[in-house]
């Protein structure tokens, strides 16, 4: 029992990122001396297209990062959100490669940061660490595939509900999410006026309310009924490939495993 408590305390002392907390004690010890936690603000830029990837960023707690693909008409379209279940910048590649997309902070909060060279050195020393990060890369790729399919076949209403639910799960808030109309429009790749009409219809049905700078969910079950199943598919893949990392109640209480 004492050993179990000691292990739980060791995990709890790590930054509030499920991927880092999923690592065994030995694997995390390889990274721990190089981990720095810094607070961020919404819209802080992590990478521009073409930037050398020097740092791996692990969102912690309610913080979220987003991948934005710039288009020829000057608009950025968001592809996926990454919260405390993952990391951005050099975690999928071998690092020191140019960034393809713009990566920004979506919701401010703490980010744990590790130099790519230190991550690569730790991966060389530990096959189990390489294994965990390779599994996360697979989960991120599945998320991108699912997002591509979702954009092609699902309605704006379904995608709106999906994004709100996905953001709530990652931030851990049961009732609200700090999304503005403009931010949601960027996630959906549509104009702000279209997004406003969709939110107005949800509001008329008693599903949610809009506040300045946030969306308050009144009927989460009703919102789920209006959402596509893309987020559920991503969660299922996470549970099959990297159990305990996707932000759920189970993941919050899961001990690290080797």
């Amino acid at each position: 029992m004492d050993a179990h408590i000691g292990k739980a305390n060791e995990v709890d002392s790590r930054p509030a990122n499920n991927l880092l907390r999923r690592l065994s004690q030995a694997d995390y010890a390889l990274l721990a001396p190089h981990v720095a936690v810094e607070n961020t603000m919404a819209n802080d830029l992590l990478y521009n297209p073409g930037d050398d990837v020097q740092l791996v960023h692990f969102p912690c707690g309610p913080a979220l990062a987003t991948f934005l693909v710039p288009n020829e008409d000057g608009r950025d379209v968001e592809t996926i959100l990454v919260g405390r279940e993952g990391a951005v910048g050099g975690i999928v590649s071998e690092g020191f490669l140019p960034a393809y997309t713009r990566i920004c902070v979506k919701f401010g909060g703490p980010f744990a940061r590790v130099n790519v060279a230190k991550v690569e050195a730790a991966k060389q020393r530990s096959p189990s660490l390489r294994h965990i990060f390779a599994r996360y890369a697979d989960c991120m790729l599945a998320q991108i595939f699912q997002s591509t399919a979702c954009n092609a076949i699902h309605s704006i209403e379904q995608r709106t509900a999906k994004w709100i639910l996905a953001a709530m799960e990652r931030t851990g808030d049961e009732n609200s999410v700090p999304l503005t109309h403009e931010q949601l429009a960027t996630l959906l790749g549509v104009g702000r006026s279209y997004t406003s009409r969709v939110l107005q219809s949800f509001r008329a049905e008693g599903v949610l309310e809009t506040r300045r700078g946030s969306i308050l969910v009144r009927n989460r079950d009703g919102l789920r009924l209006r959402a596509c199943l893309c987020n559920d598919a991503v969660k299922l893949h996470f549970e099959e490939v990297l159990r305990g990392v996707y932000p759920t109640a189970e993941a919050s209480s899961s001990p690290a495993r080797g």
Side-chain angles (χ1 to χ4, degrees), residues 230-243 246:
C230 289
N231 200 43
D232 293 331
V234 169
K235 287 190 289 184
L236 178 61
H237 191 69
F238 262 93
E239 285 303 293
E240 290 177 343
V241 174
L242 204 55
R243 183 175 298 276
Y246 193 90

Side-chain angles (χ1 to χ4, degrees), residues 214-229:
S214 66
I215 294 171
L216 180 64
V217 176
R218 290 298 190 187
N219 183 350
R220 192 161 181 162
D221 288 339
L223 192 62
R224 288 188 185 281
L225 289 174
R226 287 158 179 78
C228 59
L229 299 179

Side-chain angles (χ1 to χ4, degrees), residues 9 28 31 44 71-72 89 119 160 171 200 236 246:
N9 289 339
Y28 183 71
L31 296 177
D44 280 358
N71 286 275
E72 64 273 9
V119 173
T160 298
T171 59
Q200 185 175 3
L236 178 61
Y246 193 90

Side-chain angles (χ1 to χ4, degrees), residues 23-235:
L23 301 178
S24 69
Q25 188 169 352
D27 283 345
Y28 183 71
L30 296 174
L31 296 177
H34 315 294
V35 175
V37 179
E38 300 178 20
N39 283 318
T40 63
M41 301 291 290
N43 301 318
D44 280 358
L45 179 67
L46 303 180
Y47 288 108
N48 262 321
D51 287 350
D52 287 339
V53 175
Q54 301 285 342
L55 293 172
V56 181
H57 303 266
F58 297 84
C60 301
L64 281 182
T66 183
F67 288 72
L68 302 104
V69 180
N71 286 275
E72 64 273 9
D73 63 359
R75 291 186 302 163
D76 288 334
V77 176
E78 299 191 46
T79 54
I80 62 171
L81 297 175
V82 176
R84 63 188 187 275
E85 79 284 358
V88 300
I91 195 68
V92 174
S93 71
E94 294 299 311
F96 300 113
L97 296 174
Y100 179 71
T101 66
R102 181 172 295 114
I103 306 177
C104 293
V105 175
K106 186 72 173 179
F107 299 158
F111 275 66
R113 289 167 173 159
V114 186
N115 186 278
V116 167
K118 302 301 183 183
V119 173
E120 291 305 312
K123 287 163 65 177
Q124 290 299 316
R125 293 177 61 185
S126 171
S128 59
L129 183 65
R130 289 200 305 273
H131 181 67
I132 291 291
F133 285 166
R135 282 176 172 262
Y136 175 67
D138 180 84
C139 290
M140 177 178 276
L141 190 58
Q143 193 176 352
I144 294 169
F145 286 157
Q146 195 68 48
S147 178
T148 301
C150 184
N151 291 341
I153 64 175
H154 291 138
S155 68
I156 299 296
E157 289 76 11
Q158 289 174 304
R159 291 164 54 205
T160 298
K162 177 204 72 172
W163 278 122
I164 294 172
L165 288 168
M168 290 175 68
E169 287 173 345
R170 285 170 168 82
T171 59
D173 195 317
E174 291 294 319
N175 300 307
S176 66
V177 62
L179 270 175
T180 65
H181 288 209
E182 186 170 346
Q183 288 176 319
L184 189 55
T186 305
L187 278 170
L188 296 166
V190 299
R192 188 181 185 279
S193 59
Y194 197 130
T195 304
S196 296
R197 289 198 298 272
V198 173
L199 291 176
Q200 185 175 3
S201 69
F202 283 3
R203 188 166 54 242
E205 295 168 359
V207 172
L208 53 78
E209 293 181 13
T210 54
R211 304 284 177 84
R212 183 174 180 83
S214 66
I215 294 171
L216 180 64
V217 176
R218 290 298 190 187
N219 183 350
R220 192 161 181 162
D221 288 339
L223 192 62
R224 288 188 185 281
L225 289 174
R226 287 158 179 78
C228 59
L229 299 179
C230 289
N231 200 43
D232 293 331
V234 169
K235 287 190 289 184

